[in-house]
Amino acid sequence: MTDADEPRCLLMDIRSGAVEATLDKARPMVGFFSLPEAESRFTAGDVREAIFTLAFEGESADLGTC
């Protein structure tokens, strides 16, 4: 899913029962970023950076980290 406020970011859930069992209701996510201009759409062929983060139940496509 792309971030609701910043289209240059793609958020990806990393689903693993074993990992989630140790995170106490959190799930791992990775935010992939392409071009630095916030107005640019995410481009899979031009990933500039990635950030590992945690998401919690009820969080939507705008995690504030992108």
Side-chain angles (χ1 to χ4, degrees):
M1 74 185 105
T2 55
D3 184 270
D5 292 328
E6 195 165 345
R8 72 184 185 101
C9 177
L10 176 75
L11 300 173
M12 181 179 291
D13 272 316
I14 309 297
R15 303 310 303 250
S16 165
V19 173
E20 290 176 44
T22 65
L23 292 178
D24 192 28
K25 300 181 182 174
R27 66 185 189 279
M29 292 190 82
V30 177
F32 296 97
F33 301 85
S34 55
L35 299 172
E37 297 82 19
E39 298 81 28
S40 300
R41 302 295 304 168
F42 176 77
T43 306
D46 189 23
V47 174
R48 304 287 177 102
E49 55 189 67
I51 295 175
F52 176 82
T53 189
L54 296 175
F56 295 89
E57 188 174 335
E59 286 186 315
S60 67
D62 183 16
L63 299 179
T65 57
C66 286

